[in-house]
């Protein structure tokens, strides 16, 4: 059984495309195929918006790694290898950003699962040049293309979707980049969580902050809190920072792979936790969040989370805290609370 995800396996069949190239890997990469690739081409750099993947590549000395919402490094790259992301808007963003940076004549390889909509690249690539499918296997497709048109200049600010949410008496401006949770709309579960929260004080962590709606509302309702917000996604970190700024609020926003970069003295940990990883559903990050929460809370610190009612989080919370209360419930969502 290959250690590589299916899109990497199809790329592995086509190594001739990469020979002699300086390759920049971007998109939904999640395995160590770039390390293998480095044996077959001149150089490999990986640009990722996923902090967990960035950390996974630590110590891989044959490749360069970069984390962020925008690739700003100097590079010799002459071929982009794009792992098709789950959000089509994110693919459009990555193409516009990378080609503006790398210019005309750049080659591209696109790999992705067919169910992820990778076929969209055929139409999406038209403003840049031509892209053709050369292989398909393991329900994945492999495309190769080249940019013949001069790409338009890229400005990150143009890619924020700005919208207003009304929460009670309050009107909030939200700024969101493509691929970020709550991109363009306010989530019903987050609303239920906000309706249930008590008055907050001390140091508060908004875990999995997305576009920053929860953190911004908590900061405006509780101006004296010390707000911290974290997410694994560089697009979410940039969106949350922009949302705080748009509303004249302050908070520390940073990347963290579950608790990798957080503090250990929170009065409150509050989360609408994500449960999607790539195209598949994954609960492991949330389970770690719940199981290790007591280590990151002060004495008498509190955890509040909103979750789909069908998720079996109560036993995990009970195991780590000794007890778990359900404070609010609808047909779809439940609010769980625990004290250290």
């Amino acid at each position: 059984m290959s250690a590589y995800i299916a899109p990497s396996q199809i790329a592995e069949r086509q190594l001739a495309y990469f020979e002699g190239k300086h390759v920049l890997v971007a998109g939904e990469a999640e395995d160590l195929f770039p390390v293998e690739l480095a044996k077959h081409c001149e150089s490999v750099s990986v640009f990722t918006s996923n902090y967990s993947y960035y950390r996974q590549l630590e110590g891989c000395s044959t490749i360069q790694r970069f984390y962020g919402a925008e690739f700003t490094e100097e590079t010799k790259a002459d071929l982009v290898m794009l792992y098709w992301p789950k959000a089509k808007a994110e693919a459009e963003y990555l193409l516009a950003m990378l080609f503006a940076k790398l210019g005309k004549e750049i080659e591209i390889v696109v790999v992705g699962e067919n169910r992820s909509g990778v076929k969209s690249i055929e139409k999406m690539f038209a403003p840049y040049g031509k892209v053709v499918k050369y292989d398909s296997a393991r329900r994945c497709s492999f495309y190769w293309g080249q940019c013949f048109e001069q790409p338009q200049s890229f400005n990150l600010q143009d890619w924020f979707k700005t919208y207003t949410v009304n929460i009670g008496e309050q009107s909030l401006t939200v700024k969101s980049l493509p691929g970020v949770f709550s991109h363009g709309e306010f989530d019903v579960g987050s609303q239920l969580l906000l309706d249930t929260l008590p008055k907050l004080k001390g140091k508060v962590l908004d875990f999995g902050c997305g576009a920053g709606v929860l953190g911004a509302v908590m900061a405006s309702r509780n101006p004296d809190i010390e707000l911290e917000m974290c997410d694994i996604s560089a697009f979410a970190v940039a969106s949350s920072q922009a949302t705080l700024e748009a509303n004249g609020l302050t908070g520390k926003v940073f990347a963290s792979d579950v608790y990798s970069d957080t503090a250990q003295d929170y009065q409150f940990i509050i989360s609408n936790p994500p449960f999607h990883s790539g195209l598949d559903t994954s609960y492991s990050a949330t389970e770690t969040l719940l199981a290790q929460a007591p280590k990151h809370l002060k004495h008498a610190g509190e955890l509040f989370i909103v979750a789909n009612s069908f998720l079996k989080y109560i036993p995990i919370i009970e195991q780590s805290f000794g007890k778990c209360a359900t404070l609010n419930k609808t047909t779809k969502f439940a609010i769980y609370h625990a004290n250290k």
Side-chain angles (χ1 to χ4, degrees):
M1 186 71 186
S2 173
Y4 297 141
I5 57 171
S8 296
Q9 290 176 40
I10 196 173
E12 196 176 21
R13 293 165 36 132
Q14 301 291 346
L15 286 169
Y17 281 90
F18 301 99
E19 277 172 22
K21 297 289 177 193
H22 294 280
V23 180
L24 175 61
V25 176
E28 202 87 19
E30 48 187 278
D31 60 22
L32 293 179
F33 180 67
V35 178
E36 171 65 30
L37 197 56
K39 299 172 189 169
H40 301 271
C41 53
E42 288 298 307
S43 70
V44 174
S45 306
V46 176
F47 168 71
T48 180
S49 60
N50 182 315
Y51 191 60
S52 174
Y53 184 57
Y54 175 76
R55 291 177 74 231
Q56 193 185 325
L57 298 176
E58 198 172 5
C60 298
S61 57
T62 55
I63 59 175
Q64 278 190 298
R65 61 188 184 130
F66 304 101
Y67 169 81
E70 186 177 0
F71 183 71
T72 54
E73 308 302 320
E74 284 309 307
T75 178
K76 291 190 285 195
D78 51 14
L79 185 148
V80 171
M81 179 183 179
L82 178 66
Y83 283 83
W84 190 256
K86 59 180 178 284
K88 191 173 160 186
E90 192 179 322
E92 288 174 329
Y93 171 94
L94 287 169
L95 287 179
M97 187 261 298
L98 292 171
F99 283 143
K101 170 83 183 159
L102 300 171
K104 246 166 98 167
E105 308 306 325
I106 194 90
E107 294 177 50
I108 188 167
V109 161
V110 182
V111 289
E113 292 187 43
N114 297 333
R115 66 180 176 139
S116 70
V118 66
K119 191 175 189 293
S120 305
I121 188 63
E122 295 171 19
K123 208 174 197 174
M124 196 184 288
F125 199 71
Y128 303 101
K130 194 163 163 46
V131 67
V132 177
K133 189 199 292 198
Y134 281 97
D135 195 7
S136 54
R138 303 186 191 285
R139 302 197 179 103
C140 290
S141 296
F142 176 101
Y143 288 87
W144 178 89
Q146 192 163 12
C147 177
F148 296 125
E149 303 296 328
Q150 184 58 46
Q152 291 182 343
S153 61
F154 178 85
N155 179 0
L156 182 69
Q157 296 307 315
D158 297 340
W159 288 81
F160 280 102
K161 185 168 183 175
T162 305
Y163 61 101
T164 305
V165 294
N166 296 308
I167 301 161
E169 302 290 295
Q170 205 176 353
S171 180
L172 195 73
T173 302
V174 182
K175 309 268 289 186
S176 173
L177 286 171
V180 175
F181 178 68
S182 83
H183 184 54
E185 62 200 76
F186 186 49
D187 170 66
V188 183
S190 295
Q191 178 72 64
L192 188 69
L193 179 57
L194 287 171
D195 291 345
T196 312
L197 288 177
K199 180 132 186 69
L200 304 174
K201 61 181 193 300
K203 197 166 180 177
V204 178
L205 176 67
D206 172 8
F207 176 91
C209 55
V213 182
L214 274 182
V217 175
M218 293 190 298
S220 56
R221 287 184 184 173
N222 308 273
D224 297 333
I225 61 171
E226 189 185 335
L227 177 67
E228 295 198 359
M229 302 164 72
C230 71
D231 205 289
I232 204 165
S233 158
F235 298 130
V237 170
S239 298
S240 282
Q241 281 168 332
T243 294
L244 288 180
E245 283 167 24
N247 295 283
L249 300 164
T250 53
K252 178 187 172 189
V253 191
F254 58 97
S256 191
D257 180 7
V258 193
Y259 290 116
S260 69
D261 290 56
T262 64
Q264 293 188 309
D265 59 346
Y266 296 107
Q267 189 63 50
F268 293 92
I269 294 175
I270 294 167
S271 182
N272 181 348
F275 56 89
H276 285 284
S277 167
L279 289 169
D280 300 307
T281 302
S282 167
Y283 306 104
S284 60
T286 303
E287 288 172 2
T288 306
L289 163 75
L290 303 178
Q292 294 182 9
K295 291 185 203 162
H296 297 271
L297 286 165
K298 289 169 82 156
H299 174 67
E302 299 177 60
L303 170 77
F304 286 87
I305 75 155
V306 56
N308 284 58
S309 306
F310 66 83
L311 297 174
K312 304 287 183 273
Y313 287 159
I314 292 177
I316 303 170
I317 298 171
E318 285 178 339
Q319 195 172 359
S320 54
F321 284 90
K323 58 194 179 303
C324 172
T326 304
L327 298 186
N328 212 336
K329 204 165 183 183
T330 64
T331 50
K332 199 172 173 200
F333 295 104
I335 308 294
Y336 301 124
H337 171 246
N339 283 72
K340 182 170 171 181

